Amino acid sequence: MNDANGMKHQVLTHSTFFEHMEEFGYFRGIEDMLPEDFTAVFEIARVLEDPESALFRSISPVMSVSTNQQERKEAETREWRPNRNVTYSEEYEAALMRNVADIRRIFPHQYLLPEDLFLQRLAQRSLWINIPRTPVVLPFKSSSTEYSPNNYKQKVYLLLDTSTSMSSHHRFQMAKAVVYVFLKRNLRELGHVYLRTFDTDLGPLRIATDHGSLRGLIQYAMRLNRLGNGTVMERAILQATDDIRAQSALSGAEILVVTDGACHLDREKIRMALGDTIRINTIKIGNAEIYGDEKFLRDLAARGESADSRNLGKLEEELRRTRINLEQATIESEKRSLRSHVASIEGRAEQLRSHIVGNLKKTYGREIETISRVFVNIDDISADAIFALRQSEIEEIHELLAEVEMDFAEGIDADSLREAALLYEHVQMLLKSGGDQEQMAQLQEMANRLNELLKDVMETTDQIDSAAKNLSRSDVHDLHMMLQIQSSRGNSLIKLLLAVLKRSINRLFQKRG
């Protein structure tokens, strides 16, 4: 690449927008169609990171991991910290003795040598001894932009709700932005990170143990686009506790649940699974609520893990046995006694059941609030709170558009087409979200310029053929995944662009063949 081309890509590759698109996995190597309005995650994350925004203030209590300040201070001031996972025998290494006094530390099997040979080696200082191994100093990272997990940092297990209801009010984009901002905000403090999705079923377990796997975990979360009916939150939490106890690397991990769901949980069962060492924090998006009907709550009363529910279960079992005895009784006095006992048990059971049902009504569907160490409920976001851009942010898009136009004038390649496609998607998303008339007018003017730019390219056969030489089939696939939403909405220009690129690249490969 010549100097001019090097300069032409400098602004684009270092702009905040395209850096984030690359980090989200929206730039290359795209396997499936990207989620609808996928660039909205960028705008929501920008608001979440803004200390002046109301959204930042409301969600802040749950966006920092727990840290042991004294332990961290010691870690930063000590020259080295011994590895607690290294066994005693691995802390030493073999070396030749240096003086006669070292004879006390020679390997015992050398005493089996013939006396003459032993004395000869002693005189030559050629007997082997055990000496302490010099510890390897692994400095603690101090940059907040580096992810370097170790056993002393806070481990986190993320549970991300992917149920169908998350598609409303940009909830899914909000949840992704929360996950991204949480991870980036706590890079310095994070140990191993686990992530699992849940809807009607549990998603696969994703693990981050270094910079590369953390990047992969983020891209996996950002690219999620399939939602399922149902919310198996209780099962997800119990699975997380099982994973944490099964993995020594996750000892002391905290669970962070990001959900919009109101669902009933067996509170006592989860508390037993959490124990005294696992803490759970929750971010709930939206104000969904559920209510159990009277019959369901009465049936549920004896099935819980609480002491009251267990006592009710015992009363019901006692009532069952007493009724059997009553049916089998033949003496009238015995029957009267058993009927009186049945009535007494029924009264106590009904009183206890009413008490349990009353408590269930107060917390039904909100159990996650009571078991969470920190619980934050944020309202559904409104478009004007997120997508009403500042004029400076509109100017950033203007600058990106100008750079794309310059790129196209100097020669089309895979990255310039990707940048144009992403910018096109972003402008279309902002137009769809609405805003004040002045902002809409500026965005529409940029959309028109992008349309004209793509139209000019398609109408110039030489440019298309030249571009095809620099494209691979994977490049065209990435562009198709980026623009498929606009194509499916009937945007004829986008359909035509994709068709022209495919024809050109197919023609090119045929010539090579």
Side-chain angles (χ1 to χ4, degrees), residues 145-150 183 187 190-194 206-218:
T145 62
E146 294 175 340
Y147 174 59
S148 54
N150 60 46
L183 293 174
L187 277 183
L190 283 176
H192 290 181
V193 178
Y194 280 36
R206 305 288 297 203
I207 307 173
T209 58
D210 53 30
H211 178 76
S213 54
L214 181 67
R215 183 182 178 86
L217 183 147
I218 290 173

mmCIF file with all atom_site columns, all heavy atoms in Angstrom, residues 145-150 183 187 190-194 206-218:
data_model
loop_
_atom_site.group_PDB
_atom_site.id
_atom_site.type_symbol
_atom_site.label_atom_id
_atom_site.label_alt_id
_atom_site.label_comp_id
_atom_site.label_asym_id
_atom_site.label_entity_id
_atom_site.label_seq_id
_atom_site.pdbx_PDB_ins_code
_atom_site.Cartn_x
_atom_site.Cartn_y
_atom_site.Cartn_z
_atom_site.occupancy
_atom_site.B_iso_or_equiv
_atom_site.pdbx_formal_charge
_atom_site.auth_seq_id
_atom_site.auth_comp_id
_atom_site.auth_asym_id
_atom_site.auth_atom_id
_atom_site.pdbx_PDB_model_num
ATOM 1   N N   . THR A 1 145 ? -6.837  -1.051  29.988 1.00 0.00 ? 145 THR A N   1
ATOM 2   C CA  . THR A 1 145 ? -7.197  -1.545  28.664 1.00 0.00 ? 145 THR A CA  1
ATOM 3   C C   . THR A 1 145 ? -6.669  -2.943  28.423 1.00 0.00 ? 145 THR A C   1
ATOM 4   O O   . THR A 1 145 ? -6.774  -3.450  27.321 1.00 0.00 ? 145 THR A O   1
ATOM 5   C CB  . THR A 1 145 ? -6.647  -0.602  27.576 1.00 0.00 ? 145 THR A CB  1
ATOM 6   O OG1 . THR A 1 145 ? -5.226  -0.581  27.665 1.00 0.00 ? 145 THR A OG1 1
ATOM 7   C CG2 . THR A 1 145 ? -7.198  0.799   27.738 1.00 0.00 ? 145 THR A CG2 1
ATOM 8   N N   . GLU A 1 146 ? -6.092  -3.591  29.440 1.00 0.00 ? 146 GLU A N   1
ATOM 9   C CA  . GLU A 1 146 ? -5.515  -4.912  29.263 1.00 0.00 ? 146 GLU A CA  1
ATOM 10  C C   . GLU A 1 146 ? -6.281  -5.933  30.089 1.00 0.00 ? 146 GLU A C   1
ATOM 11  O O   . GLU A 1 146 ? -6.669  -5.674  31.223 1.00 0.00 ? 146 GLU A O   1
ATOM 12  C CB  . GLU A 1 146 ? -4.041  -4.903  29.678 1.00 0.00 ? 146 GLU A CB  1
ATOM 13  C CG  . GLU A 1 146 ? -3.164  -4.039  28.764 1.00 0.00 ? 146 GLU A CG  1
ATOM 14  C CD  . GLU A 1 146 ? -1.730  -3.958  29.260 1.00 0.00 ? 146 GLU A CD  1
ATOM 15  O OE1 . GLU A 1 146 ? -1.517  -4.233  30.462 1.00 0.00 ? 146 GLU A OE1 1
ATOM 16  O OE2 . GLU A 1 146 ? -0.851  -3.622  28.470 1.00 0.00 ? 146 GLU A OE2 1
ATOM 17  N N   . TYR A 1 147 ? -6.483  -7.094  29.502 1.00 0.00 ? 147 TYR A N   1
ATOM 18  C CA  . TYR A 1 147 ? -7.139  -8.198  30.195 1.00 0.00 ? 147 TYR A CA  1
ATOM 19  C C   . TYR A 1 147 ? -6.090  -9.260  30.496 1.00 0.00 ? 147 TYR A C   1
ATOM 20  O O   . TYR A 1 147 ? -5.541  -9.884  29.589 1.00 0.00 ? 147 TYR A O   1
ATOM 21  C CB  . TYR A 1 147 ? -8.250  -8.772  29.313 1.00 0.00 ? 147 TYR A CB  1
ATOM 22  C CG  . TYR A 1 147 ? -8.921  -10.007 29.864 1.00 0.00 ? 147 TYR A CG  1
ATOM 23  C CD1 . TYR A 1 147 ? -9.550  -9.985  31.104 1.00 0.00 ? 147 TYR A CD1 1
ATOM 24  C CD2 . TYR A 1 147 ? -8.939  -11.201 29.140 1.00 0.00 ? 147 TYR A CD2 1
ATOM 25  C CE1 . TYR A 1 147 ? -10.175 -11.108 31.607 1.00 0.00 ? 147 TYR A CE1 1
ATOM 26  C CE2 . TYR A 1 147 ? -9.565  -12.341 29.633 1.00 0.00 ? 147 TYR A CE2 1
ATOM 27  C CZ  . TYR A 1 147 ? -10.184 -12.283 30.870 1.00 0.00 ? 147 TYR A CZ  1
ATOM 28  O OH  . TYR A 1 147 ? -10.810 -13.405 31.373 1.00 0.00 ? 147 TYR A OH  1
ATOM 29  N N   . SER A 1 148 ? -5.782  -9.427  31.762 1.00 0.00 ? 148 SER A N   1
ATOM 30  C CA  . SER A 1 148 ? -4.763  -10.402 32.158 1.00 0.00 ? 148 SER A CA  1
ATOM 31  C C   . SER A 1 148 ? -5.252  -11.112 33.423 1.00 0.00 ? 148 SER A C   1
ATOM 32  O O   . SER A 1 148 ? -4.888  -10.753 34.542 1.00 0.00 ? 148 SER A O   1
ATOM 33  C CB  . SER A 1 148 ? -3.424  -9.703  32.429 1.00 0.00 ? 148 SER A CB  1
ATOM 34  O OG  . SER A 1 148 ? -3.603  -8.663  33.376 1.00 0.00 ? 148 SER A OG  1
ATOM 35  N N   . PRO A 1 149 ? -6.117  -12.108 33.260 1.00 0.00 ? 149 PRO A N   1
ATOM 36  C CA  . PRO A 1 149 ? -6.716  -12.767 34.426 1.00 0.00 ? 149 PRO A CA  1
ATOM 37  C C   . PRO A 1 149 ? -5.714  -13.572 35.231 1.00 0.00 ? 149 PRO A C   1
ATOM 38  O O   . PRO A 1 149 ? -4.731  -14.080 34.695 1.00 0.00 ? 149 PRO A O   1
ATOM 39  C CB  . PRO A 1 149 ? -7.765  -13.689 33.785 1.00 0.00 ? 149 PRO A CB  1
ATOM 40  C CG  . PRO A 1 149 ? -7.245  -13.958 32.413 1.00 0.00 ? 149 PRO A CG  1
ATOM 41  C CD  . PRO A 1 149 ? -6.546  -12.692 31.992 1.00 0.00 ? 149 PRO A CD  1
ATOM 42  N N   . ASN A 1 150 ? -5.943  -13.653 36.524 1.00 0.00 ? 150 ASN A N   1
ATOM 43  C CA  . ASN A 1 150 ? -5.185  -14.558 37.387 1.00 0.00 ? 150 ASN A CA  1
ATOM 44  C C   . ASN A 1 150 ? -6.106  -15.000 38.525 1.00 0.00 ? 150 ASN A C   1
ATOM 45  O O   . ASN A 1 150 ? -7.257  -14.575 38.605 1.00 0.00 ? 150 ASN A O   1
ATOM 46  C CB  . ASN A 1 150 ? -3.901  -13.897 37.916 1.00 0.00 ? 150 ASN A CB  1
ATOM 47  C CG  . ASN A 1 150 ? -4.187  -12.647 38.732 1.00 0.00 ? 150 ASN A CG  1
ATOM 48  O OD1 . ASN A 1 150 ? -5.063  -12.640 39.585 1.00 0.00 ? 150 ASN A OD1 1
ATOM 49  N ND2 . ASN A 1 150 ? -3.442  -11.582 38.476 1.00 0.00 ? 150 ASN A ND2 1
ATOM 50  N N   . LEU A 1 183 ? -17.751 -5.660  30.628 1.00 0.00 ? 183 LEU A N   1
ATOM 51  C CA  . LEU A 1 183 ? -16.458 -6.315  30.435 1.00 0.00 ? 183 LEU A CA  1
ATOM 52  C C   . LEU A 1 183 ? -15.346 -5.304  30.206 1.00 0.00 ? 183 LEU A C   1
ATOM 53  O O   . LEU A 1 183 ? -14.260 -5.420  30.791 1.00 0.00 ? 183 LEU A O   1
ATOM 54  C CB  . LEU A 1 183 ? -16.542 -7.288  29.255 1.00 0.00 ? 183 LEU A CB  1
ATOM 55  C CG  . LEU A 1 183 ? -17.435 -8.512  29.454 1.00 0.00 ? 183 LEU A CG  1
ATOM 56  C CD1 . LEU A 1 183 ? -17.551 -9.322  28.166 1.00 0.00 ? 183 LEU A CD1 1
ATOM 57  C CD2 . LEU A 1 183 ? -16.913 -9.389  30.584 1.00 0.00 ? 183 LEU A CD2 1
ATOM 58  N N   . LEU A 1 187 ? -11.914 -4.577  32.848 1.00 0.00 ? 187 LEU A N   1
ATOM 59  C CA  . LEU A 1 187 ? -10.840 -5.406  32.299 1.00 0.00 ? 187 LEU A CA  1
ATOM 60  C C   . LEU A 1 187 ? -9.725  -5.665  33.306 1.00 0.00 ? 187 LEU A C   1
ATOM 61  O O   . LEU A 1 187 ? -9.224  -6.782  33.428 1.00 0.00 ? 187 LEU A O   1
ATOM 62  C CB  . LEU A 1 187 ? -10.257 -4.751  31.043 1.00 0.00 ? 187 LEU A CB  1
ATOM 63  C CG  . LEU A 1 187 ? -10.993 -4.986  29.724 1.00 0.00 ? 187 LEU A CG  1
ATOM 64  C CD1 . LEU A 1 187 ? -10.237 -4.328  28.592 1.00 0.00 ? 187 LEU A CD1 1
ATOM 65  C CD2 . LEU A 1 187 ? -11.165 -6.468  29.452 1.00 0.00 ? 187 LEU A CD2 1
ATOM 66  N N   . LEU A 1 190 ? -10.828 -8.245  36.138 1.00 0.00 ? 190 LEU A N   1
ATOM 67  C CA  . LEU A 1 190 ? -11.484 -9.504  35.806 1.00 0.00 ? 190 LEU A CA  1
ATOM 68  C C   . LEU A 1 190 ? -10.541 -10.693 35.782 1.00 0.00 ? 190 LEU A C   1
ATOM 69  O O   . LEU A 1 190 ? -9.449  -10.622 35.234 1.00 0.00 ? 190 LEU A O   1
ATOM 70  C CB  . LEU A 1 190 ? -12.169 -9.392  34.441 1.00 0.00 ? 190 LEU A CB  1
ATOM 71  C CG  . LEU A 1 190 ? -13.481 -8.630  34.384 1.00 0.00 ? 190 LEU A CG  1
ATOM 72  C CD1 . LEU A 1 190 ? -13.967 -8.524  32.951 1.00 0.00 ? 190 LEU A CD1 1
ATOM 73  C CD2 . LEU A 1 190 ? -14.543 -9.305  35.255 1.00 0.00 ? 190 LEU A CD2 1
ATOM 74  N N   . GLY A 1 191 ? -11.005 -11.788 36.363 1.00 0.00 ? 191 GLY A N   1
ATOM 75  C CA  . GLY A 1 191 ? -10.377 -13.076 36.177 1.00 0.00 ? 191 GLY A CA  1
ATOM 76  C C   . GLY A 1 191 ? -11.060 -13.778 35.015 1.00 0.00 ? 191 GLY A C   1
ATOM 77  O O   . GLY A 1 191 ? -11.481 -13.143 34.046 1.00 0.00 ? 191 GLY A O   1
ATOM 78  N N   . HIS A 1 192 ? -11.238 -15.088 35.101 1.00 0.00 ? 192 HIS A N   1
ATOM 79  C CA  . HIS A 1 192 ? -11.895 -15.826 34.028 1.00 0.00 ? 192 HIS A CA  1
ATOM 80  C C   . HIS A 1 192 ? -13.344 -15.362 33.890 1.00 0.00 ? 192 HIS A C   1
ATOM 81  O O   . HIS A 1 192 ? -14.009 -15.036 34.878 1.00 0.00 ? 192 HIS A O   1
ATOM 82  C CB  . HIS A 1 192 ? -11.861 -17.324 34.310 1.00 0.00 ? 192 HIS A CB  1
ATOM 83  C CG  . HIS A 1 192 ? -10.488 -17.902 34.181 1.00 0.00 ? 192 HIS A CG  1
ATOM 84  N ND1 . HIS A 1 192 ? -10.220 -19.235 34.372 1.00 0.00 ? 192 HIS A ND1 1
ATOM 85  C CD2 . HIS A 1 192 ? -9.292  -17.328 33.874 1.00 0.00 ? 192 HIS A CD2 1
ATOM 86  C CE1 . HIS A 1 192 ? -8.925  -19.467 34.190 1.00 0.00 ? 192 HIS A CE1 1
ATOM 87  N NE2 . HIS A 1 192 ? -8.344  -18.318 33.900 1.00 0.00 ? 192 HIS A NE2 1
ATOM 88  N N   . VAL A 1 193 ? -13.817 -15.337 32.653 1.00 0.00 ? 193 VAL A N   1
ATOM 89  C CA  . VAL A 1 193 ? -15.190 -14.918 32.365 1.00 0.00 ? 193 VAL A CA  1
ATOM 90  C C   . VAL A 1 193 ? -15.910 -16.061 31.673 1.00 0.00 ? 193 VAL A C   1
ATOM 91  O O   . VAL A 1 193 ? -15.407 -16.629 30.698 1.00 0.00 ? 193 VAL A O   1
ATOM 92  C CB  . VAL A 1 193 ? -15.219 -13.664 31.461 1.00 0.00 ? 193 VAL A CB  1
ATOM 93  C CG1 . VAL A 1 193 ? -16.662 -13.283 31.125 1.00 0.00 ? 193 VAL A CG1 1
ATOM 94  C CG2 . VAL A 1 193 ? -14.499 -12.496 32.129 1.00 0.00 ? 193 VAL A CG2 1
ATOM 95  N N   . TYR A 1 194 ? -17.081 -16.394 32.191 1.00 0.00 ? 194 TYR A N   1
ATOM 96  C CA  . TYR A 1 194 ? -17.934 -17.411 31.570 1.00 0.00 ? 194 TYR A CA  1
ATOM 97  C C   . TYR A 1 194 ? -19.214 -16.725 31.092 1.00 0.00 ? 194 TYR A C   1
ATOM 98  O O   . TYR A 1 194 ? -19.675 -15.758 31.714 1.00 0.00 ? 194 TYR A O   1
ATOM 99  C CB  . TYR A 1 194 ? -18.318 -18.496 32.575 1.00 0.00 ? 194 TYR A CB  1
ATOM 100 C CG  . TYR A 1 194 ? -17.248 -19.552 32.824 1.00 0.00 ? 194 TYR A CG  1
ATOM 101 C CD1 . TYR A 1 194 ? -15.895 -19.227 32.827 1.00 0.00 ? 194 TYR A CD1 1
ATOM 102 C CD2 . TYR A 1 194 ? -17.599 -20.867 33.053 1.00 0.00 ? 194 TYR A CD2 1
ATOM 103 C CE1 . TYR A 1 194 ? -14.926 -20.188 33.058 1.00 0.00 ? 194 TYR A CE1 1
ATOM 104 C CE2 . TYR A 1 194 ? -16.643 -21.844 33.294 1.00 0.00 ? 194 TYR A CE2 1
ATOM 105 C CZ  . TYR A 1 194 ? -15.303 -21.491 33.295 1.00 0.00 ? 194 TYR A CZ  1
ATOM 106 O OH  . TYR A 1 194 ? -14.346 -22.454 33.526 1.00 0.00 ? 194 TYR A OH  1
ATOM 107 N N   . ARG A 1 206 ? -19.425 -20.391 26.998 1.00 0.00 ? 206 ARG A N   1
ATOM 108 C CA  . ARG A 1 206 ? -18.285 -19.697 26.404 1.00 0.00 ? 206 ARG A CA  1
ATOM 109 C C   . ARG A 1 206 ? -17.372 -19.242 27.535 1.00 0.00 ? 206 ARG A C   1
ATOM 110 O O   . ARG A 1 206 ? -17.838 -18.740 28.563 1.00 0.00 ? 206 ARG A O   1
ATOM 111 C CB  . ARG A 1 206 ? -18.744 -18.484 25.601 1.00 0.00 ? 206 ARG A CB  1
ATOM 112 C CG  . ARG A 1 206 ? -19.773 -18.774 24.535 1.00 0.00 ? 206 ARG A CG  1
ATOM 113 C CD  . ARG A 1 206 ? -19.199 -19.512 23.357 1.00 0.00 ? 206 ARG A CD  1
ATOM 114 N NE  . ARG A 1 206 ? -18.177 -18.746 22.662 1.00 0.00 ? 206 ARG A NE  1
ATOM 115 C CZ  . ARG A 1 206 ? -17.833 -18.953 21.399 1.00 0.00 ? 206 ARG A CZ  1
ATOM 116 N NH1 . ARG A 1 206 ? -18.432 -19.904 20.693 1.00 0.00 ? 206 ARG A NH1 1
ATOM 117 N NH2 . ARG A 1 206 ? -16.880 -18.233 20.833 1.00 0.00 ? 206 ARG A NH2 1
ATOM 118 N N   . ILE A 1 207 ? -16.059 -19.400 27.337 1.00 0.00 ? 207 ILE A N   1
ATOM 119 C CA  . ILE A 1 207 ? -15.096 -19.099 28.396 1.00 0.00 ? 207 ILE A CA  1
ATOM 120 C C   . ILE A 1 207 ? -14.019 -18.165 27.863 1.00 0.00 ? 207 ILE A C   1
ATOM 121 O O   . ILE A 1 207 ? -13.518 -18.355 26.754 1.00 0.00 ? 207 ILE A O   1
ATOM 122 C CB  . ILE A 1 207 ? -14.442 -20.383 28.931 1.00 0.00 ? 207 ILE A CB  1
ATOM 123 C CG1 . ILE A 1 207 ? -15.501 -21.403 29.340 1.00 0.00 ? 207 ILE A CG1 1
ATOM 124 C CG2 . ILE A 1 207 ? -13.519 -20.075 30.108 1.00 0.00 ? 207 ILE A CG2 1
ATOM 125 C CD1 . ILE A 1 207 ? -14.930 -22.753 29.724 1.00 0.00 ? 207 ILE A CD1 1
ATOM 126 N N   . ALA A 1 208 ? -13.659 -17.146 28.647 1.00 0.00 ? 208 ALA A N   1
ATOM 127 C CA  . ALA A 1 208 ? -12.549 -16.252 28.304 1.00 0.00 ? 208 ALA A CA  1
ATOM 128 C C   . ALA A 1 208 ? -11.477 -16.382 29.378 1.00 0.00 ? 208 ALA A C   1
ATOM 129 O O   . ALA A 1 208 ? -11.739 -16.169 30.562 1.00 0.00 ? 208 ALA A O   1
ATOM 130 C CB  . ALA A 1 208 ? -13.034 -14.809 28.212 1.00 0.00 ? 208 ALA A CB  1
ATOM 131 N N   . THR A 1 209 ? -10.261 -16.756 28.925 1.00 0.00 ? 209 THR A N   1
ATOM 132 C CA  . THR A 1 209 ? -9.137  -16.904 29.850 1.00 0.00 ? 209 THR A CA  1
ATOM 133 C C   . THR A 1 209 ? -7.934  -16.074 29.413 1.00 0.00 ? 209 THR A C   1
ATOM 134 O O   . THR A 1 209 ? -6.921  -16.067 30.098 1.00 0.00 ? 209 THR A O   1
ATOM 135 C CB  . THR A 1 209 ? -8.712  -18.377 29.956 1.00 0.00 ? 209 THR A CB  1
ATOM 136 O OG1 . THR A 1 209 ? -8.369  -18.852 28.644 1.00 0.00 ? 209 THR A OG1 1
ATOM 137 C CG2 . THR A 1 209 ? -9.845  -19.229 30.510 1.00 0.00 ? 209 THR A CG2 1
ATOM 138 N N   . ASP A 1 210 ? -8.044  -15.408 28.253 1.00 0.00 ? 210 ASP A N   1
ATOM 139 C CA  . ASP A 1 210 ? -6.982  -14.532 27.787 1.00 0.00 ? 210 ASP A CA  1
ATOM 140 C C   . ASP A 1 210 ? -7.590  -13.527 26.810 1.00 0.00 ? 210 ASP A C   1
ATOM 141 O O   . ASP A 1 210 ? -8.803  -13.545 26.555 1.00 0.00 ? 210 ASP A O   1
ATOM 142 C CB  . ASP A 1 210 ? -5.847  -15.323 27.121 1.00 0.00 ? 210 ASP A CB  1
ATOM 143 C CG  . ASP A 1 210 ? -6.336  -16.247 26.013 1.00 0.00 ? 210 ASP A CG  1
ATOM 144 O OD1 . ASP A 1 210 ? -7.359  -15.919 25.362 1.00 0.00 ? 210 ASP A OD1 1
ATOM 145 O OD2 . ASP A 1 210 ? -5.713  -17.287 25.781 1.00 0.00 ? 210 ASP A OD2 1
ATOM 146 N N   . HIS A 1 211 ? -6.739  -12.649 26.274 1.00 0.00 ? 211 HIS A N   1
ATOM 147 C CA  . HIS A 1 211 ? -7.253  -11.576 25.414 1.00 0.00 ? 211 HIS A CA  1
ATOM 148 C C   . HIS A 1 211 ? -7.985  -12.131 24.191 1.00 0.00 ? 211 HIS A C   1
ATOM 149 O O   . HIS A 1 211 ? -9.069  -11.659 23.833 1.00 0.00 ? 211 HIS A O   1
ATOM 150 C CB  . HIS A 1 211 ? -6.097  -10.684 24.959 1.00 0.00 ? 211 HIS A CB  1
ATOM 151 C CG  . HIS A 1 211 ? -6.525  -9.580  24.039 1.00 0.00 ? 211 HIS A CG  1
ATOM 152 N ND1 . HIS A 1 211 ? -7.177  -8.448  24.495 1.00 0.00 ? 211 HIS A ND1 1
ATOM 153 C CD2 . HIS A 1 211 ? -6.424  -9.444  22.684 1.00 0.00 ? 211 HIS A CD2 1
ATOM 154 C CE1 . HIS A 1 211 ? -7.446  -7.662  23.459 1.00 0.00 ? 211 HIS A CE1 1
ATOM 155 N NE2 . HIS A 1 211 ? -7.007  -8.241  22.360 1.00 0.00 ? 211 HIS A NE2 1
ATOM 156 N N   . GLY A 1 212 ? -7.428  -13.164 23.554 1.00 0.00 ? 212 GLY A N   1
ATOM 157 C CA  . GLY A 1 212 ? -8.044  -13.713 22.353 1.00 0.00 ? 212 GLY A CA  1
ATOM 158 C C   . GLY A 1 212 ? -9.398  -14.333 22.628 1.00 0.00 ? 212 GLY A C   1
ATOM 159 O O   . GLY A 1 212 ? -10.357 -14.110 21.872 1.00 0.00 ? 212 GLY A O   1
ATOM 160 N N   . SER A 1 213 ? -9.503  -15.123 23.699 1.00 0.00 ? 213 SER A N   1
ATOM 161 C CA  . SER A 1 213 ? -10.787 -15.766 23.999 1.00 0.00 ? 213 SER A CA  1
ATOM 162 C C   . SER A 1 213 ? -11.816 -14.765 24.500 1.00 0.00 ? 213 SER A C   1
ATOM 163 O O   . SER A 1 213 ? -13.024 -14.942 24.295 1.00 0.00 ? 213 SER A O   1
ATOM 164 C CB  . SER A 1 213 ? -10.598 -16.898 25.017 1.00 0.00 ? 213 SER A CB  1
ATOM 165 O OG  . SER A 1 213 ? -9.926  -16.441 26.173 1.00 0.00 ? 213 SER A OG  1
ATOM 166 N N   . LEU A 1 214 ? -11.366 -13.668 25.149 1.00 0.00 ? 214 LEU A N   1
ATOM 167 C CA  . LEU A 1 214 ? -12.317 -12.626 25.551 1.00 0.00 ? 214 LEU A CA  1
ATOM 168 C C   . LEU A 1 214 ? -12.887 -11.934 24.315 1.00 0.00 ? 214 LEU A C   1
ATOM 169 O O   . LEU A 1 214 ? -14.083 -11.651 24.239 1.00 0.00 ? 214 LEU A O   1
ATOM 170 C CB  . LEU A 1 214 ? -11.643 -11.601 26.459 1.00 0.00 ? 214 LEU A CB  1
ATOM 171 C CG  . LEU A 1 214 ? -12.571 -10.481 26.948 1.00 0.00 ? 214 LEU A CG  1
ATOM 172 C CD1 . LEU A 1 214 ? -13.645 -11.018 27.879 1.00 0.00 ? 214 LEU A CD1 1
ATOM 173 C CD2 . LEU A 1 214 ? -11.787 -9.371  27.637 1.00 0.00 ? 214 LEU A CD2 1
ATOM 174 N N   . ARG A 1 215 ? -12.027 -11.682 23.344 1.00 0.00 ? 215 ARG A N   1
ATOM 175 C CA  . ARG A 1 215 ? -12.500 -11.082 22.087 1.00 0.00 ? 215 ARG A CA  1
ATOM 176 C C   . ARG A 1 215 ? -13.529 -11.996 21.411 1.00 0.00 ? 215 ARG A C   1
ATOM 177 O O   . ARG A 1 215 ? -14.560 -11.541 20.919 1.00 0.00 ? 215 ARG A O   1
ATOM 178 C CB  . ARG A 1 215 ? -11.316 -10.837 21.156 1.00 0.00 ? 215 ARG A CB  1
ATOM 179 C CG  . ARG A 1 215 ? -11.677 -10.148 19.837 1.00 0.00 ? 215 ARG A CG  1
ATOM 180 C CD  . ARG A 1 215 ? -10.443 -9.993  18.972 1.00 0.00 ? 215 ARG A CD  1
ATOM 181 N NE  . ARG A 1 215 ? -10.731 -9.377  17.685 1.00 0.00 ? 215 ARG A NE  1
ATOM 182 C CZ  . ARG A 1 215 ? -10.773 -8.082  17.473 1.00 0.00 ? 215 ARG A CZ  1
ATOM 183 N NH1 . ARG A 1 215 ? -10.526 -7.242  18.464 1.00 0.00 ? 215 ARG A NH1 1
ATOM 184 N NH2 . ARG A 1 215 ? -11.050 -7.604  16.265 1.00 0.00 ? 215 ARG A NH2 1
ATOM 185 N N   . GLY A 1 216 ? -13.245 -13.300 21.407 1.00 0.00 ? 216 GLY A N   1
ATOM 186 C CA  . GLY A 1 216 ? -14.179 -14.252 20.832 1.00 0.00 ? 216 GLY A CA  1
ATOM 187 C C   . GLY A 1 216 ? -15.496 -14.283 21.587 1.00 0.00 ? 216 GLY A C   1
ATOM 188 O O   . GLY A 1 216 ? -16.572 -14.398 20.979 1.00 0.00 ? 216 GLY A O   1
ATOM 189 N N   . LEU A 1 217 ? -15.451 -14.200 22.910 1.00 0.00 ? 217 LEU A N   1
ATOM 190 C CA  . LEU A 1 217 ? -16.667 -14.200 23.722 1.00 0.00 ? 217 LEU A CA  1
ATOM 191 C C   . LEU A 1 217 ? -17.515 -12.966 23.417 1.00 0.00 ? 217 LEU A C   1
ATOM 192 O O   . LEU A 1 217 ? -18.745 -13.060 23.299 1.00 0.00 ? 217 LEU A O   1
ATOM 193 C CB  . LEU A 1 217 ? -16.295 -14.262 25.208 1.00 0.00 ? 217 LEU A CB  1
ATOM 194 C CG  . LEU A 1 217 ? -17.430 -14.335 26.225 1.00 0.00 ? 217 LEU A CG  1
ATOM 195 C CD1 . LEU A 1 217 ? -17.011 -15.176 27.437 1.00 0.00 ? 217 LEU A CD1 1
ATOM 196 C CD2 . LEU A 1 217 ? -17.848 -12.944 26.712 1.00 0.00 ? 217 LEU A CD2 1
ATOM 197 N N   . ILE A 1 218 ? -16.868 -11.805 23.295 1.00 0.00 ? 218 ILE A N   1
ATOM 198 C CA  . ILE A 1 218 ? -17.601 -10.573 22.988 1.00 0.00 ? 218 ILE A CA  1
ATOM 199 C C   . ILE A 1 218 ? -18.256 -10.675 21.617 1.00 0.00 ? 218 ILE A C   1
ATOM 200 O O   . ILE A 1 218 ? -19.440 -10.336 21.448 1.00 0.00 ? 218 ILE A O   1
ATOM 201 C CB  . ILE A 1 218 ? -16.656 -9.350  23.055 1.00 0.00 ? 218 ILE A CB  1
ATOM 202 C CG1 . ILE A 1 218 ? -16.255 -9.068  24.505 1.00 0.00 ? 218 ILE A CG1 1
ATOM 203 C CG2 . ILE A 1 218 ? -17.311 -8.111  22.443 1.00 0.00 ? 218 ILE A CG2 1
ATOM 204 C CD1 . ILE A 1 218 ? -15.203 -7.983  24.654 1.00 0.00 ? 218 ILE A CD1 1
#
